[in-house]
Amino acid sequence: SAVISQKPSRDICQRGTSLTIQCQVDSQVTMMFWYRQQPGQSLTLIATANQGSEATYESGFVIDKFPISRPNLTFSTLTVSNMSPEDSSIYLCSALVGQGAGTQYFGPGTRLLVL
Amino acid sequence: SQQGEEDPQALSIQEGENATMNCSYKTSINNLQWYRQNSGRGLVHLILIRSNEREKHSGRLRVTLDTSKKSSSLLITASRAADTASYFCATRTQGGSEKLVFGKGTKLTVNP
C-alpha cells in the first residue's frame, strides 16, 4: 500500500494568483497522477506526473495552467496558475502501486476556493 | 469522457439494510476499482477486481464483475451510518495507458 500526504489541505486564494500543491508518498512508486474534482462531481484526470520528464496532460488541461513537477519517485507538485473562481475544486494526488493491474491510492486532497 | 456510469446516483437506506450500487463501463478493462469518499475528503480504496475475476469479498463488501455486460456491482451488507459516503467505480483500460477513469459516483445515505 501507499500513504499519500498533501499540502496544503485547503486554501482560499485571490483571482489571478497561483498556488502550488505538494504531494508526498511514503514509498517509491512508478506512477503519480493529479486529479481535479469540481463541486458535486466525479474525478477528472489532469495529468500523469512523469519522473524526470514533462507531465502528460489530458485533453482540456495545459502545462501553462497546471505546471507539474516530479523530481523523484516519491514527490510531485501541481501548480494552479492565474487562478479564477472556476478553478475552485478539490485537487487530489494519486499514486499507482505496482504496474498495470496495481492498486491506485489517493491523497486526502487539497480543497481550493478562489475568490 | 467518463468511462464508468454508476447507478443509482443517490441511494438512501436504513441501518442494517443492504446497499447495492452498479457500475457500467464502455471498453475492455484490465481491472476495476471501487472507492469511497466521505464528504469532500480523499478517496479510500475499497477493492480491486481484475478482468479475469468474477467476484471478490472484503469484510461486508462484495464486488461482482461481468465483463460480457461491462458492468460491476458493489454490495454493502448490514449497512451502518458510518457507510454514508459517495462510492465511485474506476476502470483501467486494457492495453491502454495506466490512467484510471472514474464514474460519476453513487451518493449513499444510511439512516440510523
Side-chain angles (χ1 to χ4, degrees):
Chain A
S1 67
V3 177
I4 303 174
S5 59
Q6 285 183 235
K7 287 195 298 187
S9 59
R10 58 176 62 219
D11 209 341
I12 300 173
C13 300
Q14 296 299 318
R15 183 195 299 258
T17 62
S18 297
L19 176 72
T20 295
I21 303 167
Q22 298 180 5
C23 175
Q24 180 73 55
V25 188
D26 70 341
S27 58
Q28 292 187 347
V29 293
T30 51
M31 302 191 76
M32 295 180 72
F33 307 88
W34 286 97
Y35 286 79
R36 180 176 75 183
Q37 185 178 29
Q38 294 178 303
Q41 303 295 313
S42 185
L43 281 75
T44 300
L45 179 64
I46 297 172
T48 302
N50 300 309
Q51 196 265 326
S53 64
E54 194 171 284
T56 304
Y57 289 84
E58 297 298 304
S59 176
F61 297 96
V62 295
I63 188 171
D64 290 345
K65 176 67 176 177
F66 297 101
I68 288 170
S69 78
R70 190 176 171 197
N72 57 50
L73 292 176
T74 65
F75 186 79
S76 178
T77 66
L78 168 75
T79 299
V80 186
S81 303
N82 188 26
M83 289 183 285
S84 67
E86 291 72 35
D87 294 320
S88 297
S89 293
I90 300 172
Y91 292 85
L92 296 113
C93 174
S94 178
L96 175 63
V97 178
Q99 298 278 1
T103 298
Q104 193 159 328
Y105 294 93
F106 284 79
T110 296
R111 188 185 290 267
L112 172 62
L113 177 62
V114 184
L115 302 177
Chain B
S1 62
Q2 299 292 348
Q3 163 77 305
E5 295 279 341
E6 285 94 334
D7 87 274
Q9 292 186 353
L11 179 63
S12 182
I13 60 174
Q14 295 300 122
E15 217 166 18
E17 294 180 340
N18 295 341
T20 299
M21 288 159 273
N22 302 298
C23 168
S24 60
Y25 55 91
K26 297 174 183 173
T27 63
S28 296
I29 60 170
N30 186 306
N31 63 56
L32 184 147
Q33 304 184 43
W34 283 92
Y35 293 84
R36 183 184 74 228
Q37 185 179 39
N38 291 86
S39 190
R41 297 184 181 179
L43 271 72
V44 174
H45 185 267
L46 296 177
I47 202 161
L48 179 155
I49 187 164
R50 293 183 169 77
S51 60
N52 62 353
E53 297 176 314
R54 292 296 166 258
E55 188 171 309
K56 280 188 92 166
H57 297 256
S58 177
R60 294 183 295 113
L61 306 181
R62 173 179 171 249
V63 168
T64 62
L65 179 65
D66 187 333
T67 53
S68 67
K69 295 181 179 178
K70 292 187 169 59
S71 68
S72 174
S73 69
L74 169 67
L75 168 67
I76 304 174
T77 60
S79 64
R80 305 167 183 167
D83 294 327
T84 295
S86 291
Y87 291 82
F88 295 91
C89 72
T91 53
R92 180 161 282 116
T93 304
Q94 190 175 61
S97 69
E98 302 285 3
K99 64 185 181 183
L100 207 59
V101 179
F102 280 79
K104 294 180 179 178
T106 294
K107 188 174 175 65
L108 173 66
T109 301
V110 181
N111 301 298

